[in-house]
Amino acid sequence: MHRFSVDPARFLSDLHTLRQFGACGPGVKRRAFTPEDIAARDWIAQQMQEAGLQTHFDPAGNLFGLAGDGPSLLLGSHSDSQPEGGWLDGALGVIAALEIARASKAAGGPALSVVNFQDEEGRFGALTGSSVWSGKLPLAEADKLVATDGESFAEARASLGARAGDFLPHDRFTGFLEMHIEQGPVLDQAGEAIGVVTGIVGLRQLQVTITGQQNHAGTTPMAQRKDAFTAVTRLATALETGMANIVTPQSVWTIGHLRLEPNASSIVPGRAVCTIQWRDASADRLDRMETVITNALQEAAAQTGCAVHVDRLRHDLVPVPLDEGIQSACAQAAQEIAPGSWREMPSGALHDASNLADLMPVGMLFVPSINGISHAFEEDTHEADLVTGLKVLARSADILAPG
Ligand code: HGY
Ligand code: MN
Ligand code: MN
């Protein structure tokens, strides 16, 4: 028995409307708290109100659409993007949640609320909005976070103005269910439609500042240089060697942000700032990877005569198993709607669900990413897979929601 039915055309139309906020070719640039992000949040809040949901912004910029004053199942994701983002990363989960909550409300169905978390993509921290709401990151600490573009979280969130209310209590919600694009190749290569997520990897990140000696690129003999970029290359090589015996094919580490100073072709770089981020499903292996990283940093410094300073940029995000009960509801829904075209799988990407798993039952569903591409403008998913995901998420919510 289904207590409500969704409208795929309306869902797809809303997805394409959201895509316009910060549109950049096929993708989006919609960093947390930028004008495009705020405009998108205001539009989503308006859709929530028109759906009969009570809208609420909290001090961190998280936007809720509440089904009523009583307990409800929470569905959602995030609408902020990476500096160069795809149109579906996060947005899919927010719009699918909106469509489902709207359909249930209209049908007098179960109480389903919506959340659009802020700064999942880490312009400031790590899953910042849900980290603050979950209590893992005090707001006063978050306010001190500074984006690589120089704006602090405190300055950015001031743009909420009068929108911001108080933090909502966690116990208003009976659980959290998030649909997201896989952002990897597994479902696409297998030709399957749905992933029922079993767990989310843990993540750690350091910001490394390497100080050498700025000098003339023509007159400074190679043997006398303290070249900060050489230290970065030695670090990267040492990581490859050091990780080889302790990692699995799913373990990852990335030097994703690098700034050379003064970044001029005729000057030996005297300073380099980079991030090292690593992820794994095992906390113990994250520890062992951190030992490799620490040793590699010391080796790079010794070999180049540079000084190395490390800041742990983000609070640690531990590996998270997802709720068994929610997983079985999602599996039942997937088998009903996409029989034989679904699998259980882990998440190599981080999600806001990581922050809620110790507060309430949490579950996730994936839909395929074409060619496994994400965090890039060309990120995309076949429309039929988007609609299948919506229907499986709706059915899962129908099975799980109280009342
Ligand atoms: O980095 C992540 O895993 C997420 O997409 N922000
Ligand atoms: Mn995301
Ligand atoms: Mn992302």
Side-chain angles (χ1 to χ4, degrees):
M1 186 274 282
H2 294 212
R3 293 180 281 179
F4 58 89
S5 53
V6 289
D7 177 341
R10 184 173 58 183
F11 155 71
L12 292 169
S13 164
D14 282 349
L15 259 184
H16 284 286
T17 301
L18 178 52
R19 184 179 201 170
Q20 301 315 312
F21 292 92
C24 192
V28 294
K29 289 184 176 181
R30 204 166 55 221
R31 288 303 257 162
F33 286 120
T34 55
E36 301 77 21
D37 171 61
I38 296 292
R41 282 174 196 272
D42 283 341
W43 175 78
I44 292 166
Q46 186 195 347
Q47 307 318 303
M48 289 173 168
Q49 276 155 9
E50 288 172 14
L53 303 172
Q54 180 203 335
T55 56
H56 181 92
F57 279 96
D58 74 13
N62 299 311
L63 167 62
F64 292 81
L66 301 168
D69 296 333
S72 60
L73 178 66
L74 186 62
L75 307 171
S77 191
H78 63 92
S79 65
D80 64 290
S81 82
Q82 283 284 330
E84 293 191 0
W87 73 293
L88 291 168
D89 182 349
L92 172 63
V94 173
I95 298 300
L98 168 66
E99 173 54 35
I100 290 165
R102 175 167 52 197
S104 182
K105 190 86 175 169
L112 301 175
S113 295
V114 181
V115 63
N116 175 7
F117 285 117
Q118 181 57 294
D119 198 32
E120 188 278 348
E121 295 293 8
R123 179 185 170 209
F124 297 95
L127 311 177
T128 317
S130 58
S131 296
V132 173
W133 184 55
S134 69
K136 290 179 179 63
L137 177 65
L139 185 59
E141 283 304 303
D143 276 345
K144 293 179 208 155
L145 294 169
V146 180
T148 48
D149 56 37
E151 188 172 33
S152 74
F153 190 74
E155 289 160 344
R157 73 182 181 90
S159 58
L160 285 172
R163 295 179 188 83
D166 296 329
F167 287 110
L168 295 177
H170 306 133
D171 60 8
R172 285 195 66 152
F173 307 109
T174 58
F176 176 64
L177 190 48
E178 178 173 5
M179 175 160 74
H180 205 284
I181 49 172
E182 180 202 330
Q183 301 182 292
V186 173
L187 294 174
D188 186 51
Q189 285 173 356
E192 293 168 349
I194 295 288
V196 174
V197 183
T198 53
I200 302 174
V201 292
L203 176 145
R204 295 181 190 172
Q205 179 164 309
L206 302 177
Q207 174 160 310
V208 180
T209 304
I210 298 171
T211 309
Q213 177 57 58
Q214 183 170 326
N215 216 326
H216 193 295
T219 57
T220 311
M222 297 308 282
Q224 293 177 29
R225 293 183 178 201
K226 291 182 180 176
D227 183 329
F229 180 64
T230 304
V232 175
T233 60
R234 297 290 171 82
L235 169 65
T237 311
L239 290 180
E240 293 284 338
T241 327
M243 294 293 191
N245 301 325
I246 62 163
V247 293
T248 73
Q250 283 69 45
S251 312
V252 292
W253 64 94
T254 312
I255 297 177
H257 171 78
L258 171 64
R259 192 177 65 239
L260 287 181
E261 294 173 1
N263 207 25
S265 51
S266 293
I267 302 179
V268 175
R271 193 166 181 267
V273 179
C274 70
T275 54
I276 305 176
Q277 181 192 97
W278 63 107
R279 307 184 191 201
D280 196 87
S282 148
D284 172 54
R285 192 174 294 111
L286 285 171
D287 287 339
R288 284 184 279 136
M289 291 172 80
E290 183 157 356
T291 304
V292 168
I293 291 165
T294 306
N295 295 340
L297 285 165
Q298 285 162 0
E299 246 177 78
Q303 289 171 3
T304 58
C306 293
V308 171
H309 174 74
V310 167
D311 287 302
R312 185 182 286 279
L313 253 198
R314 303 177 166 190
H315 63 283
D316 287 0
L317 285 151
V318 297
V320 168
L322 296 186
D323 181 78
E324 297 287 342
I326 293 188
Q327 286 186 53
S328 55
C330 292
Q332 179 190 332
Q335 188 53 26
E336 282 177 21
I337 295 161
S341 182
W342 64 277
R343 68 170 63 199
E344 294 181 344
M345 60 190 292
S347 173
L350 267 194
H351 297 287
D352 291 306
S354 297
N355 275 322
L356 277 59
D358 57 350
L359 299 171
M360 60 188 77
V362 163
M364 287 194 75
L365 283 171
F366 280 163
V367 295
S369 293
I370 296 172
N371 299 325
I373 291 176
S374 182
H375 283 191
F377 290 145
E378 59 268 39
E379 171 191 284
D380 204 357
T381 296
H382 294 300
E383 195 165 272
D385 288 332
L386 295 175
V387 173
T388 301
L390 173 73
K391 290 178 178 170
V392 173
L393 183 68
R395 182 64 183 128
S396 304
D398 195 8
I399 295 165
L400 289 163

